[in-house]
Amino acid sequence: MTTIPTAASNLGNPMQPQKAALSNLTRNSRAERARMPVALHVAEDVAIAHGVCVRPITQRVTDTLTGEVTLVDLPCGATLASKCPPCAERARRLRMHQCRAGWHLDTDPIPDEDSSTSTQQDLVAVRADVTAARDGFLDRDDHEAAAAASETLDAIDGELHELGVRGPLEREPAETVRRKRSTRRRQDAPELPRRAMAKTTVGQTFTGTDGKVFRPSMFVTVTLPSYGRVDRNGVPVDPGRYDYRRAARDAIHFPRLMDRLVQNLRRVAGFDVQYFATVEPQRRLAPHAHIAIRGTMPRALVRQVIAATYHQVWWPAADTPVYIRQDDLPVWDEDADAHDIAGNPIGDSVGYLDPTTAAVLPTWDEALDDLDADDDLEPQHVVRFGIQSDIQGLLSGSPDADRRIGYLAKYLTKSMGAAHGEDTDAAVTAHVDRLVAALRFEPCSPGCANWLRYGIQPKNARPGLVPGSCKAKAHRREHLGYGGRRVLVSRKWSGKTLTDHRHERRAFVLALLGVDPDEATRGDKTSDRYVWEPVNPNELPPLSTRLLHAISQRQIWRAAYEGAKDGSPPKPSGQYTSVETKEGAA
């Protein structure tokens, strides 16, 4: 019979290695302890489950009347789930609400302008006299009297603003003269039809055989052209033949191409086209856009507009670098930093110099002047849409329309560089690396530091610029060349700003809870009697403590909200008069 040795039977044999019990091994080994979740991380997981911000920004609020000082945690407002999932999800749902509010409207959301009142007209007549007097003083070089007249004009403008007049009567002159380019269309682009513009933002209606009236809207998807064959993961089949430079430039100028598309759609539609668009990456890492359009147009016409839309980049050539080595880059003119004892600059700054010859590099304006002098001028780059597009007609309230709203906002919580999610495939990583390398030295704007690499001073040059180290979003790995906004909304989409929609959602929750909005506003410490200021992080309570308090408060709000939805009597309104009611109990 075989005897199985145990830890106790080995105690008498010093030559036999001691064996720990299985329970002690599970509880005490370093590997097992490392697998145990950290308490703060558990609190963060609970906060995410309850929709509580995990990166709260603490503000010190001082009541100037009573002297009371309190600390208030505000949501960080992040739009990416990688930074704060609850705030990103809240922002995504708010965008969905904004899209739904304006997509299928049957009336213009912006009302007509009110007629001016006699009081406003009389005040403008007085301002006209004062303006003429001020200009007369300036003509006679009486600057003291002109300054007094200007103060009177400022007071009159303030009264006009209080009377409900918006906009200035006199605008400041532009500091720079805008360069004008020819608006003649390219010969390789098809012509666009033109229609008389109707003063409306809603599309036409269609009547069915049963007399029912339909007002459809559109959902359009546009993409960029191909840069080479890719596999199902978006990775180039032949990386050596994939046009990374063109892909980088198209991504940088994609926002301008979207602006051109809207302009052309309005030109051919015959009405003021309103849109809600989101930009997201494809698996091949190129940006593409989904566009919700109020009203409808013939699909053939939309395809014609997409094919005829382009954007020309009138920049200096950036194909052949002049300075390649990092130890042989243009240097800043030292005289630009020289000052006398009184602090006055000595000499005029000439900007960046050639490191070998000390010759002054041409400025941005000088480079554009050279382009204007060229009769055979060609744009540095022309960006167009690809041949693939999707155009759908949708009716208000249909399941397809609701699904498209969710599809529009599906990837808003992810960065442009997250097209492949958590995929760490070597081929995908190499594809991203090659695109980032192509973007590193590609100029992204007139003020980009990369222009020094091509022998041109950037616009508004300053010391410390180094090619390949531009801080703009377009060069970052998480943006992959696209430096514009992820959500593009026309001004007359819903007649409301994003803040207005946020307050709408807040008002809905307060009404459901039976809370007076005025009382909630008085208790949220946003009036002029309160002073808000940032807090030194060293003076704050631990993050875990603040998260636990926020989770407890959110559970109370959630219970009250669910109870109100089920018809339970609301609790006293004082429980909801808090700053965080701006986001709503939902």
Side-chain angles (χ1 to χ4, degrees):
M1 182 175 180
T2 304
T3 303
I4 300 177
T6 62
S9 63
N10 293 332
L11 292 177
N13 187 358
M15 303 300 297
Q16 183 73 19
Q18 303 299 317
K19 295 183 179 180
L22 182 60
S23 60
N24 292 335
L25 178 64
T26 303
R27 183 174 62 252
N28 296 327
S29 67
R30 173 175 293 181
E32 291 298 326
R33 289 198 305 271
R35 293 178 57 185
M36 298 171 63
V38 179
L40 175 59
H41 297 168
V42 176
E44 291 177 346
D45 292 340
V46 176
I48 292 174
H50 286 78
V52 174
C53 176
V54 295
R55 299 173 54 199
I57 301 174
T58 305
Q59 295 278 310
R60 180 185 291 109
V61 184
T62 304
D63 190 337
T64 57
L65 296 182
T66 64
E68 179 185 7
V69 179
T70 56
L71 297 180
V72 177
D73 280 343
L74 300 177
C76 66
T79 57
L80 296 180
S82 59
K83 296 182 179 180
C84 181
C87 288
E89 179 61 21
R90 189 179 298 114
R92 189 184 74 88
R93 291 185 177 275
L94 183 62
R95 287 295 188 179
M96 293 175 63
H97 173 76
Q98 183 185 26
C99 178
R100 185 178 292 107
W103 196 357
H104 305 286
L105 293 180
D106 54 5
T107 58
D108 290 324
I110 304 296
D112 293 334
E113 180 180 325
D114 296 334
S115 300
S116 60
T117 64
S118 58
T119 305
Q120 295 170 347
Q121 295 175 7
D122 293 341
L123 198 55
V124 170
V126 173
R127 195 192 190 285
D129 295 336
V130 179
T131 302
R134 180 204 58 187
D135 294 342
F137 293 142
L138 291 175
D139 293 339
R140 296 190 296 271
D141 293 334
D142 191 349
H143 298 288
E144 184 176 351
S150 298
E151 294 179 359
T152 304
L153 291 176
D154 293 338
I156 295 175
D157 290 340
E159 294 182 26
L160 287 172
H161 180 72
E162 294 177 357
L163 290 174
V165 177
R166 59 185 173 93
L169 280 171
E170 293 181 294
R171 298 184 180 275
E172 295 293 334
E175 296 182 358
T176 58
V177 179
R178 182 178 179 182
R179 294 178 181 268
K180 297 182 180 180
R181 302 289 183 185
S182 173
T183 57
R184 185 178 58 182
R185 292 188 58 80
R186 295 178 60 90
Q187 298 299 319
D188 55 357
E191 292 293 332
L192 286 173
R194 297 184 67 94
R195 293 185 180 179
M197 177 69 69
K199 192 178 180 181
T200 182
T201 63
V202 296
Q204 59 181 330
T205 58
F206 302 89
T207 305
T209 56
D210 57 352
K212 188 175 181 180
V213 178
F214 300 91
R215 190 187 298 272
S217 296
M218 303 186 71
F219 182 83
V220 180
T221 300
V222 292
T223 63
L224 287 172
S226 173
Y227 310 112
R229 290 184 58 196
V230 296
D231 59 19
R232 64 177 59 186
N233 290 326
V235 177
V237 176
D238 185 359
R241 302 181 62 180
Y242 193 82
D243 196 347
Y244 280 100
R245 167 174 285 182
R246 186 182 175 195
R249 292 183 176 179
D250 282 359
I252 290 174
H253 300 291
F254 188 73
R256 292 296 185 90
L257 183 64
M258 288 294 298
D259 291 340
R260 295 293 183 186
L261 176 62
V262 174
Q263 293 174 11
N264 291 339
L265 285 174
R266 288 173 174 169
R267 177 183 301 175
V268 304
F271 64 96
D272 192 2
V273 173
Q274 300 301 305
Y275 62 92
F276 180 99
T278 58
V279 180
E280 61 188 43
Q282 295 178 296
R283 295 189 67 81
R284 59 175 179 149
L285 306 181
H288 73 302
H290 302 294
I291 314 170
I293 299 177
R294 183 160 68 233
T296 186
M297 291 172 280
R299 298 188 182 186
L301 180 61
V302 176
R303 291 192 179 94
Q304 181 182 356
V305 172
I306 295 174
T309 299
Y310 62 88
H311 172 66
Q312 300 183 115
V313 182
W314 297 100
W315 286 355
D319 299 325
T320 304
V322 178
Y323 304 98
I324 300 177
R325 296 186 307 171
Q326 290 296 111
D327 57 350
D328 191 27
L329 297 176
V331 296
W332 180 255
D333 178 19
E334 296 295 340
D335 293 338
D337 300 325
H339 294 77
D340 57 18
I341 299 178
N344 299 318
I346 302 175
D348 295 330
S349 169
V350 293
Y352 282 89
L353 310 176
D354 183 278
T356 303
T357 65
V360 180
L361 299 185
T363 63
W364 178 256
D365 290 334
E366 292 172 349
L368 294 185
D369 291 338
D370 293 340
L371 294 180
D372 294 340
D374 187 358
D375 296 333
D376 299 327
L377 176 64
E378 290 292 333
Q380 183 223 46
H381 183 66
V382 179
V383 54
R384 292 183 173 91
F385 289 110
I387 59 175
Q388 293 184 349
S389 61
D390 183 58
I391 305 169
Q392 303 176 18
L394 301 170
L395 293 175
S396 173
S398 64
D400 287 341
D402 293 336
R403 281 194 293 267
R404 293 301 178 273
I405 292 177
Y407 193 68
L408 277 164
K410 183 178 180 180
Y411 295 102
L412 289 182
T413 60
K414 299 181 180 180
S415 66
M416 293 293 292
H420 293 271
E422 301 297 330
D423 192 346
T424 56
D425 183 75
V428 173
T429 303
H431 178 41
V432 176
D433 292 341
R434 287 189 291 268
L435 181 57
V436 173
L439 287 164
R440 181 184 178 187
F441 294 106
E442 188 67 36
C444 64
S445 67
C448 182
N450 289 336
W451 285 113
L452 293 175
R453 179 179 173 88
Y454 303 98
I456 299 173
Q457 296 193 52
K459 186 177 182 180
N460 301 324
R462 61 189 185 279
L465 298 181
V466 179
S469 300
C470 180
K471 304 299 183 182
K473 292 196 304 181
H475 302 284
R476 301 177 190 172
R477 191 180 186 89
E478 61 268 25
H479 293 280
L480 297 180
Y482 182 78
R485 294 171 294 162
R486 295 289 301 278
V487 181
L488 310 172
V489 187
S490 56
R491 294 182 180 273
K492 300 179 183 179
W493 176 253
S494 63
K496 301 172 184 176
T497 63
L498 200 60
T499 302
D500 295 335
H501 289 294
R502 185 180 292 110
H503 282 290
E504 274 188 349
R505 293 168 60 85
R506 175 179 183 266
F508 171 80
V509 174
L510 292 178
L512 188 63
L513 296 174
V515 179
D516 184 7
D518 294 335
E519 183 179 350
T521 302
R522 286 193 297 270
D524 65 7
K525 301 181 180 180
T526 57
S527 60
D528 295 338
R529 61 180 285 187
Y530 296 97
V531 177
W532 294 66
E533 56 185 352
V535 184
N536 189 332
N538 297 327
E539 302 177 5
L540 295 177
L543 176 60
S544 57
T545 302
R546 290 184 285 150
L547 289 180
L548 292 176
H549 282 290
I551 292 171
S552 175
Q553 185 66 61
R554 183 54 59 94
Q555 291 181 127
I556 295 174
W557 288 347
R558 171 60 65 179
Y561 180 75
E562 296 296 338
K565 288 172 60 179
D566 296 337
S568 302
K571 296 183 179 182
S573 60
Q575 297 189 16
Y576 311 108
T577 55
S578 169
V579 171
E580 293 206 23
T581 56
K582 292 179 180 178
E583 301 295 336

